[in-house]
Amino acid sequence: MTKLTFPFKVDIDFATGHVTAPAKVLTRRLSDLQGLFMDSAAYEQMLSRENPVLYDVYEIQVPEEAGHLASCTTVIYPGKVGKEYFFTKGHFHTIEETAEIYTCLRGEGYLLMMTRDGRSRAIKMTPGVSAYIPPYWAHRTLNCGGEPFVFYGVWPADAGHDYAAILDKGFKQRVMEVDGKPAVTE
Amino acid sequence: MTKLTFPFKVDIDFATGHVTAPAKVLTRRLSDLQGLFMDSAAYEQMLSRENPVLYDVYEIQVPEEAGHLASCTTVIYPGKVGKEYFFTKGHFHTIEETAEIYTCLRGEGYLLMMTRDGRSRAIKMTPGVSAYIPPYWAHRTLNCGGEPFVFYGVWPADAGHDYAAILDKGFKQRVMEVDGKPAVTE
């Protein structure tokens, strides 16, 4: 037996996404997503004026070991860079044969997924939608509504995060505002 | 790479615990929990009159393989056998070094946990409480309120369920109604 871990609990506020200790908050600002939005002129222009928080992640702390499960809430704030809705960096898992589950608690968004061999999928997220991200699928989320988009995620604690491929090639799909409404574009 | 699995979504009703397809419903009635309640006379007397549903589990179907994550909602209905609140059978995982996370969506209950070497823990569950069941801890839940107790759970899909030890020795802790209120007893 590895070292015995003891049970604990946190309190999740489904309306705000806030999580009590032992959760760690990770805040991503516009400047952390350099090179990821389609309209780089709009990105630079926005960044010259302000550096807004795009999203906060409240990660519940467990050992990063096989058998454990990591979990978090993510709060993506409403907004756009040009016509493209605020999104998360997105990642593959370092151990690629590991799944993840996202369940929407509040607001409206999309979950974008892709495989290394070019497949892509998009799932619309509204409260109560629980989306399954199978092994091998990179995943990014975005807020296409007018209020915070909050979701709860669970993944194997040893899965790891690989952001490099996304920084290099981006996601196949984007969600842009077209005629005042979100549209998924290839 | 094992066979590629494709993303999908289900809709979870946080108020009722109902989950749309591809979820499978497992229904446990009083007769399925023979020998588990403390007051066996009260159990037999109740069973001679009726065989109520104690809980329903809506399990979201994924391959039962390493790397995948299984998830479900569980709805435990309000009621008691003698002075003991309706509970789930409870289990260890067959692959014991695997965790599970339970998040309460509605109602009021307890999560009871124990290890094979005699440690025990109880966590009170109310909406928003997310409880971490570490590797090696058996787990049982119960409804100590007056409405359905609904929670959402996630675990590694290959973990398996071992009910035998519970049938044999039960749980160290029980939750009984004492002076009209729930009390955790050793």
Side-chain angles (χ1 to χ4, degrees), chain A residues 5 8 12 67-68 99 128 132 137, chain B residues 5 8 10 12 67-68 99 128 132 137:
Chain A
T5 307
F8 66 89
I12 300 175
H68 283 277
Y132 192 68
W137 291 81
Chain B
T5 307
F8 66 88
V10 296
I12 300 175
H68 283 278
Y132 193 67
W137 291 81

Side-chain angles (χ1 to χ4, degrees), chain A residues 74-88:
Chain A
T74 301
V75 184
I76 309 179
Y77 299 99
K80 294 191 296 290
V81 174
K83 291 291 185 185
E84 191 170 21
Y85 298 99
F86 284 178
F87 57 55
T88 62

Side-chain angles (χ1 to χ4, degrees), chain A residues 1 4-12 67-69 97-99 101 121 128-130 132 134-137 152 154, chain B residues 1 4-12 67-69 97-99 101 119 121 128-130 132 134-137 152 154:
Chain A
M1 189 188 287
L4 187 67
T5 307
F6 286 86
F8 66 89
K9 65 123 184 169
V10 296
D11 292 279
I12 300 175
H68 283 277
L69 293 172
E97 58 272 37
T98 51
I101 301 176
R121 289 288 188 279
V129 170
S130 186
Y132 192 68
Y136 306 108
W137 291 81
Y152 169 72
V154 181
Chain B
M1 189 189 288
L4 187 67
T5 307
F6 287 86
F8 66 88
K9 64 122 184 169
V10 296
D11 292 280
I12 300 175
H68 283 278
L69 293 172
E97 58 272 36
T98 51
I101 302 176
R119 299 168 198 263
R121 289 289 188 280
V129 170
S130 186
Y132 193 67
Y136 307 107
W137 291 81
Y152 169 72
V154 180

